[in-house]
Amino acid sequence: MPHKLLLVALTLLLFTTCAYASGTSKDPEAVSKIKTTRAIRTSVAPVLDGFLEPEVWQTVAPATNFVRYDPLNGKPSSQKTEVYMLYDNEAIYIGALLHDTAPDSILTQLGQRDSGENNSDLFGVYLDTYNDKQNAFAFMVSAAGVQTDIKLSQGRDDRNWDAVWSSKAKLTPEGWVVEMRIPYGAIRFPKTEVQSWGINFMRIIRRTREKSYWTHVDNSVEGFVNQGGRAIGIENIESPVRLQFTPYISGYVNHYPANVEGKSNYSHSINGGMDVKYGINDAFTLDVTLIPDFGQTQSDNQVLNLSPFEVKFSENRQFFTEGTELFNKAGLFYSRRIGGAPILRSKAADLLNPGEVLIENPATSSLLNAAKVSGRTKKGLGIGLFNALTRNMFALAEDETGDTREILTDPLTNYSVFVLDQTLRNNSYITFTNTNVTRSRSFYDANVTGVQMRFADRSNTFAVRAGGNLSQLYGKYNNEAGEPGVTLGHQYNISLAKISGNLQYSLNRSVESDTYDINDLGYLQNNNEVSTSAQVSYNFYQPVWKFLNWNNRLSINHNMLYAPREFVSFGFGGGHFVKFRNFISSNFNWSVRPGEAYDFFEARAFPQVFIKPPAFELSGSISSDYRRRLAVDASVGQWRSDRYNQSNWWGGFSPRFRVNDKLLLINSNNYSLSRHNIGYIKDPNKKTTSEQIILADRDVKTLTTTLSGEYIFSEKTGLTLNMRHYWSRAENNWFNYLQKDGTVERVTEAQDPNLSRYKDINFNTFNIDLVYSWRFAPGSELRVVWKNAIQDSNNKVTPLYFDNLSRTIQAPQNNNFSVKLLYFIDYIAIKNVLSA
């Protein structure tokens, strides 16, 4: 019944807020304050050569009078900027004269495409084509000619979004010049005779760290797109037929010294497939990937996981990172579930018949295809539909006679996400999301339905966020009759906040039932939680004393279980961030847990609790000025609890050396030492001599070293390196019985004479990703990748770093070399060529 009432309440709230969805505020005084620039239709398309021909560009009045954002927010820009805007039937054209009184000091560091704000001057334009004050397309060009494009959506930036557009940057005796051609096929806009777009222009003068906007963006006001200006004069344009193909062909050679008799250590493959984009209408686009190939994605940062919770890895597959901001908005979509580990992979050994052994057990499922449709109507309704299909996966078992048998570890599975997202007045919204996983062959299915909303006042000073989700599992667990049943779980949250001004504060509450489960297509570390928190912050946005800006916050939190309603923890803390006038930034954080905390998850035997004593934590970091050839980031911290003499020290040191405008090297080193870490340790025999749970008292030392670098030959081609060594050691000091009351008691040899079965852990991973990329035409790319991977885990702890590294390098390693060619084909371009 509570779940039905939750669904009814959410449905009523969805319909009652529809009356709120009528576009942006029509306050006449607010409209009169908006800066306006005019675009003029041109009969001659500008040539992108870094020279603004007067007869073409100066037919329109420029946008000028830029205002600083950082530092000295609100002050006039130190340099003059003029931006011209033209259009024709095919594209928008932006021409910018970026005057500079010291043109020889303009910084021009090269970087990868989408590198954004590196050590180079930068110019950008933001197009809010639906004028909803929440969503925008951003196109940026550095003084070195490097392109960046970003899709902004309600406070989130999608930097993986890639559009096909053209630009040219050129240094001049007066400063530098940017020309852009943004075809209508790269953006979306309403089907109306007269367009009214939100717009803003941005300029960064890197040598002074100055960022300015054409329309003033007040850093004490929440939001960015909502503070833009307006572009008028664009009339009688139409969205073209947006049909684009990106076929690919790839080849792989792989070597792993498995040394299996009758099998080569080498393997190879040649693959082909295609990505397709089709504009269904002016607002909606269909994206499809056919026979996808993700073999060149960056390696995961593997870690030694001693916690009771799953490690969440980043998504590096482009199809699942580009244009998915709508699907990720509610926090219910974790795309790594698609093509992840088969659900029965870890149980394959339990499915063997007597005399059988596993000879193959795939670690990931195979993706057949994926598609997504997304867009937004002129009334602000965003609609998204995502669907992906993975095939049956089998482990291979072999018996004593050599006969083999397939064991199903993952059935044919369909994954889908459906989203409705209505933008409302005053930078507000309401979002409905449904995720579904449907499996064949009588495996269980899963569904999650949720609504999230945000309402802000007209001044964008106060806001309330609220929402709720209902999870449904079909056939995963049996009901009281012993038959597969339906398991329901729920979550709801609410937040009341002051979001703008120097003084800001919030009050938050979130409840997750003990049966709430979104992990078939989402990520949830743990459920069964009731959390209440409050935060207050005071921010100085203008220079104070030696600080350019200064942020301070205090927070307090209280946590309980949902069922049974047991206390978990209480704590408070604070943080302080400052940026000095020399652009060195630093922060300091602290937290205190004044009483005991009750951990119901560490023992892996709910509701058995482990009582953790009071503790405190201190940490700080500093970051130097990245304009310098040599810059450094550093951090240090300590966590301490006295009862068990527990402590955790950590530190980081990351120098970055800019050799020249083409070569950048970054070395990152992070070390942590956790003494008397008390945690669950698995019995290797899977059978204990006692019914009591054993927690190990151990010292855990972890060192992560990375070397990343890039050599950029030009704005279209470059070489990048990412090398990472992760080393973690868990050395057991002694072992404890976990008592029923949550305390621990040290185990003696007399109580358990076989404690030696619990081993230390020495875990290493070593990865190299070396990538050469050449963007030889708009949207087309050649990628050559070498990937090296080593993973070594054993029970012999090596105390010396270089001895351990040497042993790791000698372990079996996987080497993969690949070449991939992608070629962008645009229907309109082909049509124009054929009709010429």
Side-chain angles (χ1 to χ4, degrees):
M1 183 63 68
H3 304 90
K4 294 181 179 179
L5 292 176
L6 177 64
L7 271 182
V8 171
L10 293 177
T11 304
L12 288 174
L13 191 53
L14 176 63
F15 281 102
T16 55
T17 53
C18 286
Y20 198 77
S22 303
T24 55
S25 173
K26 302 300 181 182
D27 181 7
E29 183 178 353
V31 173
S32 67
K33 294 179 181 179
I34 298 176
K35 287 178 84 170
T36 301
T37 187
R38 178 175 291 275
I40 296 294
R41 179 179 285 273
T42 179
S43 58
V44 179
V47 177
L48 303 190
D49 55 5
F51 175 70
L52 301 188
E53 297 85 354
E55 65 275 14
V56 176
W57 289 102
Q58 293 185 9
T59 58
V60 60
T64 59
N65 301 322
F66 278 51
V67 182
R68 295 192 194 192
Y69 176 80
D70 184 45
L72 305 176
N73 185 264
K75 301 294 183 182
S77 175
S78 64
Q79 303 289 341
K80 181 181 179 181
T81 304
E82 301 174 78
V83 184
Y84 302 85
M85 191 172 180
L86 304 173
Y87 73 97
D88 59 18
N89 289 333
E90 297 182 355
I92 290 289
Y93 302 92
I94 305 293
L97 291 175
L98 301 115
H99 299 271
D100 202 307
T101 55
D104 58 337
S105 299
I106 295 173
L107 299 181
T108 57
Q109 182 186 352
L110 286 163
Q112 300 179 68
R113 191 181 193 276
D114 293 327
S115 56
E117 299 180 24
N118 58 11
N119 204 51
S120 177
D121 282 30
L122 192 69
F123 171 79
V125 57
Y126 298 84
L127 301 176
D128 175 10
T129 53
Y130 286 88
N131 202 24
D132 61 10
K133 305 296 183 183
Q134 299 188 44
N135 303 278
F137 303 97
F139 301 89
M140 304 175 187
V141 181
S142 75
V146 179
Q147 292 183 346
T148 295
D149 40 31
I150 306 171
K151 194 174 183 181
L152 292 82
S153 178
Q154 299 169 340
R156 293 176 302 280
D157 296 351
D158 180 4
R159 293 180 175 269
N160 295 294
W161 176 71
D162 276 334
V164 178
W165 53 289
S166 304
S167 63
K168 179 66 177 180
K170 185 177 181 180
L171 299 177
T172 71
E174 293 77 31
W176 61 295
V177 175
V178 172
E179 289 182 293
M180 298 182 183
R181 180 185 185 273
I182 305 170
Y184 297 138
I187 58 177
R188 303 171 189 173
F189 50 86
K191 188 177 182 179
T192 181
E193 182 177 343
V194 178
Q195 302 286 328
S196 180
W197 294 356
I199 196 169
N200 213 341
F201 303 107
M202 179 268 292
R203 180 181 182 180
I204 292 177
I205 304 169
R206 183 60 183 175
R207 70 177 181 277
T208 58
R209 295 283 289 266
E210 177 186 313
K211 177 188 285 189
S212 57
Y213 291 96
W214 170 61
T215 297
H216 174 44
V217 177
D218 188 341
N219 59 2
S220 68
V221 175
E222 203 266 349
F224 169 73
V225 179
N226 54 300
Q227 299 190 59
R230 195 158 63 103
I232 60 174
I234 305 174
E235 301 177 357
N236 300 315
I237 64 172
E238 295 182 357
S239 180
V241 177
R242 291 183 287 121
L243 179 57
Q244 300 164 350
F245 307 92
T246 309
Y248 80 86
I249 185 170
S250 62
Y252 292 82
V253 176
N254 195 85
H255 177 266
Y256 181 77
N259 298 326
V260 176
E261 186 176 353
K263 290 188 177 181
S264 173
N265 291 335
Y266 287 89
S267 62
H268 65 274
S269 64
I270 297 178
N271 311 299
M274 182 184 297
D275 289 347
V276 180
K277 288 181 182 288
Y278 173 63
I280 299 172
N281 56 23
D282 59 287
F284 292 92
T285 300
L286 168 67
D287 291 90
V288 179
T289 180
L290 303 172
I291 318 178
D293 173 19
F294 302 121
Q296 291 190 335
T297 54
Q298 184 174 326
S299 304
D300 288 329
N301 291 335
Q302 300 286 344
V303 297
L304 174 63
N305 184 19
L306 298 175
S307 78
F309 309 118
E310 175 191 12
V311 176
K312 185 178 183 180
F313 292 108
S314 300
E315 177 62 89
N316 296 320
R317 299 171 295 179
Q318 184 176 358
F319 184 83
F320 296 102
T321 59
E322 180 185 351
T324 57
E325 72 286 343
L326 196 60
F327 304 104
N328 291 325
K329 185 175 181 181
L332 299 176
F333 179 45
Y334 177 43
S335 58
R336 288 294 297 262
R337 299 294 183 206
I338 302 170
I343 58 175
L344 294 182
R345 181 176 187 270
S346 62
K347 299 180 180 180
D350 299 331
L351 303 175
L352 294 174
N353 294 326
E356 288 184 331
V357 294
L358 279 178
I359 58 174
E360 290 182 13
N361 192 9
T364 59
S365 297
S366 179
L367 179 65
L368 291 174
N369 57 64
K372 55 193 175 190
V373 176
S374 62
R376 192 172 295 273
T377 69
K378 62 182 179 181
K379 292 188 177 181
L381 177 62
I383 303 175
L385 177 61
F386 175 95
N387 197 83
L389 188 67
T390 59
R391 68 177 180 87
N392 292 318
M393 299 301 297
F394 298 92
L396 191 63
E398 185 179 63
D399 63 18
E400 297 170 340
T401 66
D403 291 336
T404 59
R405 178 176 67 92
E406 290 184 332
I407 301 174
L408 181 67
T409 57
D410 207 35
L412 181 75
T413 305
N414 190 82
Y415 301 86
S416 65
V417 185
F418 175 65
V419 181
L420 295 173
D421 177 59
Q422 178 66 60
T423 58
L424 308 173
R425 293 194 301 265
N426 308 325
N427 209 26
S428 304
Y429 61 80
I430 181 167
T431 304
F432 169 85
T433 304
N434 190 89
T435 69
N436 182 272
V437 179
T438 301
R439 298 180 173 92
S440 63
R441 302 205 182 191
S442 301
F443 281 67
Y444 77 94
D445 302 325
N447 193 85
V448 180
T449 304
V451 173
Q452 298 293 324
M453 62 203 72
R454 178 189 190 271
F455 301 107
D457 67 336
R458 177 174 295 180
S459 64
N460 203 29
T461 302
F462 296 94
V464 56
R465 295 177 185 264
N469 304 315
L470 177 68
S471 67
Q472 306 126 70
L473 298 175
Y474 299 94
K476 186 173 184 177
Y477 304 108
N478 291 338
N479 56 25
E480 294 179 356
E483 299 175 347
V486 180
T487 304
L488 300 179
H490 67 272
Q491 181 269 352
Y492 62 88
N493 60 86
I494 186 168
S495 173
L496 308 173
K498 182 177 182 291
I499 57 176
S500 296
N502 296 91
L503 178 65
Q504 300 181 22
Y505 46 81
S506 66
L507 179 63
N508 317 285
R509 183 171 175 84
S510 176
V511 175
E512 297 168 351
S513 72
D514 58 321
T515 54
Y516 179 62
D517 188 351
I518 65 171
N519 280 334
D520 287 274
L521 194 47
Y523 176 88
L524 182 67
Q525 182 170 279
N526 64 277
N527 56 14
N528 198 6
E529 185 174 44
V530 178
S531 63
T532 305
S533 64
Q535 180 170 300
V536 60
S537 64
Y538 195 87
N539 308 308
F540 296 91
Y541 298 104
Q542 296 294 343
V544 177
W545 191 47
K546 297 181 180 296
F547 307 144
L548 286 174
N549 51 60
W550 182 14
N551 306 321
N552 305 275
R553 63 171 175 81
L554 292 172
S555 62
I556 186 171
N557 59 79
H558 178 274
N559 295 288
M560 296 184 66
L561 288 181
Y562 175 83
R565 285 299 174 99
E566 298 285 349
F567 171 78
V568 173
S569 67
F570 169 79
F572 56 90
H576 314 274
F577 171 84
V578 296
K579 181 187 289 185
F580 297 92
R581 291 181 183 268
N582 60 1
F583 295 99
I584 293 176
S585 59
S586 178
N587 69 70
F588 172 72
N589 300 288
W590 58 274
S591 64
V592 176
R593 189 172 70 211
E596 294 176 331
Y598 294 78
D599 188 339
F600 290 88
F601 299 98
E602 184 62 47
R604 280 74 159 175
F606 186 84
Q608 175 62 59
V609 67
F610 168 46
I611 299 177
K612 295 183 175 180
F616 72 88
E617 181 179 311
L618 302 172
S619 65
S621 67
I622 189 169
S623 179
S624 67
D625 187 352
Y626 283 7
R627 293 174 301 174
R628 306 295 182 187
R629 186 176 292 270
L630 177 64
V632 173
D633 296 322
S635 62
V636 66
Q638 181 195 21
W639 175 91
R640 185 166 183 82
S641 180
D642 290 334
R643 179 179 301 172
Y644 302 118
N645 196 27
Q646 293 176 294
S647 66
N648 187 7
W649 291 86
W650 64 90
F653 182 72
S654 178
R656 49 192 299 138
F657 182 49
R658 179 167 47 85
V659 181
N660 51 44
D661 281 346
K662 294 186 176 184
L663 178 59
L664 174 66
L665 298 172
I666 303 174
N667 171 233
S668 179
N669 306 275
N670 293 280
Y671 179 75
S672 67
L673 170 58
S674 179
R675 293 195 180 278
H676 299 292
N677 173 287
I678 298 178
Y680 174 83
I681 188 167
K682 184 178 181 180
D683 191 325
N685 299 330
K686 298 185 180 180
K687 295 179 181 179
T688 59
T689 56
S690 168
E691 294 182 355
Q692 290 180 296
I693 297 169
I694 291 185
L695 302 183
D697 182 299
R698 57 203 174 196
D699 293 341
V700 182
K701 304 172 185 178
T702 302
L703 174 64
T704 306
T705 302
T706 63
L707 175 63
S708 58
E710 56 183 34
Y711 188 89
I712 309 300
F713 302 99
S714 70
E715 69 272 16
K716 296 182 179 180
T717 182
L719 186 69
T720 61
L721 168 70
N722 187 65
M723 183 166 60
R724 175 180 181 265
H725 178 217
Y726 173 89
W727 178 28
S728 189
R729 297 167 286 170
E731 301 178 72
N732 299 313
N733 299 315
W734 56 78
F735 304 94
N736 303 284
Y737 283 140
L738 178 59
Q739 306 297 310
K740 295 297 184 182
D741 62 0
T743 60
V744 295
E745 177 184 305
R746 188 167 175 174
V747 183
T748 65
E749 290 286 346
Q751 292 171 308
D752 189 342
N754 192 26
L755 290 175
S756 59
R757 68 184 182 277
Y758 297 104
K759 305 295 184 181
D760 297 338
I761 302 175
N762 193 78
F763 180 81
N764 284 270
T765 63
F766 188 92
N767 292 92
I768 298 175
D769 290 67
L770 183 65
V771 180
Y772 170 78
S773 62
W774 174 31
R775 206 173 185 93
F776 57 89
S780 302
E781 186 177 19
L782 174 68
R783 289 171 57 89
V784 182
V785 177
W786 171 52
K787 298 172 69 173
N788 175 274
I790 306 172
Q791 182 166 311
D792 179 51
S793 181
N794 54 68
N795 305 127
K796 184 179 180 181
V797 174
T798 306
L800 299 179
Y801 175 78
F802 287 104
D803 288 348
N804 175 78
L805 179 62
S806 176
R807 193 172 71 176
T808 300
I809 297 298
Q810 294 174 23
Q813 52 187 277
N814 190 82
N815 280 280
N816 185 283
F817 179 82
S818 62
V819 179
K820 186 174 185 179
L821 177 67
L822 302 97
Y823 192 80
F824 176 78
I825 302 172
D826 182 61
Y827 167 78
I828 294 297
I830 294 176
K831 181 180 177 182
N832 291 340
V833 170
L834 295 177
S835 62

